[in-house]
Amino acid sequence: MAHNAYTVTLIPGDGIGPEVTEAACRVLEATGLSFTWDVQNAGAAVAEREGTPLPDAVLDSIRAHGVALKGPVTTPIGSGFRSVNVGIRKALDLYANVRPALTLPGLPRSHPNVDLIVVRENTEGLYTGIEHEVIPDVAAEATRIITRRASERVVRYAFEYARRNGRRGVTVVHKANILKITDGLFLKVAREVAQDYPDIALREMIVDAMCMQLVVQPEAYDVLVTTNLFGDIVSDLCAGLVGGLGVAPGANIGEHIAVFEPVHGSAPDIAGKDIANPIAATLTGALMLRHLGEREAAAQVESAIASVIAAGRVITADLKSGLPGARVVGTRAMADEIIHNLLTN
Ligand code: ATP
């Protein structure tokens, strides 16, 4: 057992956030690593008390520790934020959003043999929402800024990730046939960066063709890198290929800071009922372990989750439909099952 100790900012968040992050923390602690969780509150609940959904203390804590595990947070209307999540990414310059989509054998509605990593540019593009009405109710305009700097660092991150993790290739996903200037720049920079990585193959795919390919033969692809809005859409498609939001982890990576958060939102419809699937948050925790250099502990967590799914004895309600033989368990019981597996294998 390992005995390394880490201090991590923990943002439980809104809705199902506190339940799934609590479950994830218990699983991470079961690896034998020692964590001090610096709990910081952001989102709708804290906005009422402090007047802002993103108090400075939250960002200060993440800056101090360099790493955070975050549940989903809701952005209250009228809070001055378009999105607290985007606010955190911007304030900390978390330029790469990384979303793995990996088949868990035995999971219903899951495509076999998918092992994709979507690397999404996180700081610019259409997702920043720079838009205005040109003539109210008649015409509206959005501004899409693509820069060489942001394109280069996210593409470089994708290639470095590929090299570090023994990946076969990087596919740059774009629409440069139509958006000749903006996506043209992204594609041009990708080709330039690829020259520095002769050991990693560069493929180019137009985003619409990419979506079709991902549905038809996702196993043929490996690391994908793309601009902000395309990445938002393509990564949800990839999550759907491997079982949906309940099992989709994510990470936001900056130069010296990383914030780990599941892809799903706060799911208010199921909050507080102990029925949310904690696997997405727990796999997110495993990504964090790998970032901390704890590869063995990360593999332990991932393989415990895979074993629980493969055994097919228990499942959370979101995935029940395809597993008629499995007993439905709640958030806490699923975490217990993963921990039991981790400790006995
Ligand atoms: P937000 O407004 O914070 O984005 P949302 O409800 O609009 O929240 P999500 O939470 O991302 O969006 O997901 C939509 C639906 O998917 C939820 O309402 C919920 O039914 C289901 N869902 C999401 N995450 C989970 C999970 N971890 N376990 C089970 N079901 C989930």
Side-chain angles (χ1 to χ4, degrees):
M1 282 276 179
H3 295 286
N4 293 342
Y6 298 98
T7 302
V8 173
T9 301
L10 176 66
I11 305 169
D14 296 308
I16 61 173
E19 299 164 72
V20 295
T21 52
E22 196 255 352
C25 290
R26 283 203 291 126
V27 175
L28 297 185
E29 285 163 0
T31 63
L33 296 169
S34 165
F35 294 95
T36 302
W37 305 106
D38 180 4
V39 178
Q40 295 289 333
N41 293 306
V46 75
E48 281 173 31
R49 279 201 314 275
E50 305 207 17
T52 170
L54 183 54
D56 288 343
V58 178
L59 296 174
D60 290 344
S61 165
I62 302 173
R63 285 192 190 98
H65 308 310
V67 60
L69 182 61
K70 174 182 166 299
V73 304
T74 310
T75 308
I77 294 164
S79 68
F81 283 86
R82 186 181 298 274
S83 151
V84 172
N85 298 319
V86 174
I88 292 174
R89 293 170 197 170
K90 266 197 161 153
L92 302 173
D93 197 22
L94 304 173
Y95 65 87
N97 184 239
V98 182
R99 293 182 174 182
L102 176 70
T103 300
L104 291 167
L107 201 64
R109 300 197 305 266
S110 182
H111 210 290
N113 306 320
V114 175
D115 187 1
L116 292 159
I117 304 288
V118 181
V119 180
R120 160 187 173 191
E121 202 290 318
N122 222 7
T123 64
E124 61 182 24
L126 269 181
Y127 209 82
T128 48
I130 306 167
E131 54 177 6
H132 68 109
E133 288 183 317
V134 179
I135 305 168
D137 241 17
V138 175
E141 182 177 59
T143 303
R144 180 176 195 247
I145 295 170
I146 300 290
T147 65
R148 168 172 282 278
R149 176 174 178 267
S151 304
E152 182 176 344
R153 63 182 180 170
V154 76
V155 173
R156 200 167 284 288
Y157 179 85
F159 274 93
E160 286 291 331
Y161 182 98
R163 187 177 269 176
R164 251 196 341 271
N165 292 281
R167 295 289 185 147
R168 294 164 288 156
V170 172
T171 302
V172 57
V173 182
H174 66 90
K175 190 76 185 176
N177 54 332
I178 300 297
L179 300 167
K180 293 184 194 300
I181 298 176
T182 47
D183 265 23
L185 177 60
F186 190 78
L187 180 59
K188 180 169 182 255
V189 170
R191 288 174 180 162
E192 289 170 11
V193 171
Q195 305 273 318
D196 296 338
Y197 300 86
D199 49 321
I200 310 284
L202 172 72
R203 286 166 90 177
E204 300 173 6
M205 285 292 285
I206 294 173
V207 63
D208 41 333
M210 183 79 256
C211 289
M212 195 194 67
Q213 283 298 315
L214 286 171
V215 172
V216 174
Q217 48 163 358
E219 60 287 333
Y221 295 88
D222 198 329
V223 178
L224 313 179
V225 63
T226 189
T227 50
N228 205 339
L229 187 62
F230 294 160
D232 182 46
I233 297 164
V234 167
S235 62
D236 264 29
L237 190 161
C238 292
L241 290 173
V242 297
L245 290 174
V247 295
N252 296 290
I253 307 289
E255 214 65 66
H256 304 292
I257 295 173
V259 175
F260 295 82
E261 59 182 337
V263 171
H264 64 72
S266 61
D269 52 331
I270 56 168
K273 297 179 180 165
D274 189 40
I275 56 177
N277 190 341
I279 291 180
T282 308
L283 287 173
T284 298
L287 291 181
M288 184 184 85
L289 292 182
R290 199 158 274 126
H291 172 82
L292 293 170
E294 299 289 352
R295 283 175 175 260
E296 200 183 314
Q300 259 186 304
V301 170
E302 287 160 351
S303 101
I305 291 170
S307 302
V308 169
I309 295 294
R313 282 186 297 104
V314 296
I315 198 73
T316 44
D318 55 320
L319 298 171
K320 168 66 183 167
S321 61
L323 267 184
R327 182 167 56 90
V328 173
V329 293
T331 313
R332 277 194 288 267
M334 177 52 92
D336 291 343
E337 195 75 24
I338 296 166
I339 291 167
H340 177 73
N341 198 289
L342 193 150
L343 295 176
T344 52
N345 285 303

